[in-house]
Amino acid sequence: MQASEAAAPSAGPDWYLRAMARPAESCWVMADGARLHYLAWGLEHTHKPGLLFVHGYRAHARYWDFIAPYFADAFRVVSMDLSGMGDSGHRAAYTAQGFAADIGAVIEHAALGPAVVVGHSFGGARALRAAADFPDRIRHVVAVDSICRLADSPPSHAAPPRRPRLEPYPDFASARARYRLTPPQPCDNAFLVDHVARHALRRQQGGWLWKFDPHLPPGPHEGDMSELLAGLEIPVDYVRGEFSSVIRQEDAERIVAHLRHGRGPVVVPQAHHYLMLDQPMALIAVLRALFQGGRTAGATRPP
């Protein structure tokens, strides 16, 4: 375990600066041959329950930098990099079960279990798979704008990911200028987009490249999840952005209907797919309410 190297920002709204004033520690665990990276807040407080945040496809742990600290008073909090993404190691091959095993390995290494897991997009579906594969490690999942392929669902209308660049950009500025959210969406919080963009790049081959493995397989990453969802014995909450271009209201309702202990969809007003970027405080408020709604013990307070 080592202190995070990310420097606290000096500009931004008060809520953001307060969150970033509570830096995480970088931790590492080997899992099936890959070195996984995760960020942790307050792991030493072993009496508190565990909370894990999981990012979306080709994203990274620092999408939660300005969300996770708001829960550190009530939880031992971790935000992880799935294999092939962020600062975690790459694999020769990737599977839905393999990503779920990444989640299980981090929960075990950080001693979070049975943990609450919040997963965005791709990460939410992987969290649900992990809950099925490791039922003793996960007690509650919150899936945020997550695609779960179902036999009775129409084909996904999410745009396919762009083909990744293999040649490094000559300098950081030119690489940063090419950063785009996928799918594209408006976002008034440019400082948050800049935050995640800066952590999406690494110096490589004399230039700058994206951290994610360019050989990550495109979706769908798992076939029909109907049986998996119906078999979950834990509570699952589903959160959707009102203007999401990835998940329609009827998609979210169909997912919740497959769950034995499902709740939602909870719709965040004015939010698109990346809820933590365009409506961060609303997302924090929703998660607080869900955690306090009789499913997860512990109150939350601002940093």
Side-chain angles (χ1 to χ4, degrees):
M1 183 179 299
Q2 63 184 31
S4 172
E5 297 178 359
S10 58
D14 180 66
W15 71 266
Y16 171 69
L17 295 178
R18 283 190 290 131
M20 297 304 295
R22 296 183 70 166
E25 292 181 309
S26 278
C27 308
W28 307 86
V29 57
M30 290 299 300
D32 194 24
R35 189 170 184 246
L36 302 180
H37 171 255
Y38 64 91
L39 299 167
W41 291 261
L43 286 186
E44 68 276 13
H45 302 300
T46 56
H47 64 285
K48 296 180 181 179
L51 171 60
L52 172 65
F53 288 94
V54 186
H55 60 77
Y57 183 66
R58 290 183 178 175
H60 51 79
R62 294 194 177 278
Y63 270 74
W64 302 106
D65 272 356
F66 37 87
I67 303 292
Y70 277 84
F71 298 90
D73 284 340
F75 294 90
R76 304 166 71 243
V77 184
V78 163
S79 173
M80 69 175 293
D81 286 320
L82 292 166
S83 57
M85 292 172 261
D87 293 318
S88 285
H90 296 181
R91 298 188 185 279
Y94 300 92
T95 65
Q97 291 75 15
F99 290 121
D102 291 346
I103 293 172
V106 167
I107 290 174
E108 183 175 40
H109 188 260
L112 297 179
V116 180
V117 182
V118 177
H120 174 245
S121 192
F122 170 83
R126 302 291 71 77
L128 292 167
R129 163 55 67 183
D133 292 353
F134 306 98
D136 59 325
R137 302 183 194 180
I138 298 176
R139 63 188 176 104
H140 180 187
V141 171
V142 180
V144 181
D145 227 65
S146 298
I147 295 177
C148 297
R149 190 178 182 187
L150 304 173
D152 61 346
S153 297
S156 171
H157 55 287
R162 297 188 302 272
R163 185 176 179 180
R165 179 185 175 107
L166 300 178
E167 295 297 321
Y169 294 93
D171 52 58
F172 178 86
S174 58
R176 168 64 187 89
R178 294 299 301 166
Y179 185 81
R180 300 289 187 276
L181 295 175
T182 303
Q185 69 171 59
C187 184
D188 292 336
N189 298 320
F191 66 99
L192 294 183
V193 178
D194 184 66
H195 177 95
V196 299
R198 286 187 287 108
H199 289 289
L201 289 158
R202 67 159 53 98
R203 191 184 295 275
Q204 189 172 329
Q205 302 173 24
W208 292 82
L209 264 179
W210 310 116
K211 289 181 177 181
F212 65 79
D213 186 345
H215 302 295
L216 283 170
H221 298 270
E222 187 158 9
D224 178 20
M225 294 181 67
S226 302
E227 185 175 345
L228 184 154
L229 297 180
L232 291 176
E233 296 289 351
I234 62 168
V236 177
D237 291 312
Y238 195 95
V239 178
R240 173 183 174 266
E242 180 184 13
F243 300 140
S244 173
S245 63
V246 172
I247 297 293
R248 297 165 294 194
Q249 181 68 12
E250 56 265 35
D251 300 330
E253 291 172 354
R254 191 175 291 111
I255 292 168
V256 173
H258 278 76
L259 295 161
R260 292 187 185 183
H261 308 288
R263 186 166 59 177
V266 178
V267 179
V268 177
Q270 301 297 307
H272 294 76
H273 180 59
Y274 294 91
L275 290 80
M276 72 285 289
L277 299 181
D278 61 2
Q279 296 295 333
M281 297 306 290
L283 178 58
I284 290 169
V286 165
L287 293 177
R288 284 180 171 177
L290 294 176
F291 295 164
Q292 294 173 354
R295 298 183 174 215
T296 300
T300 58
R301 299 189 301 274

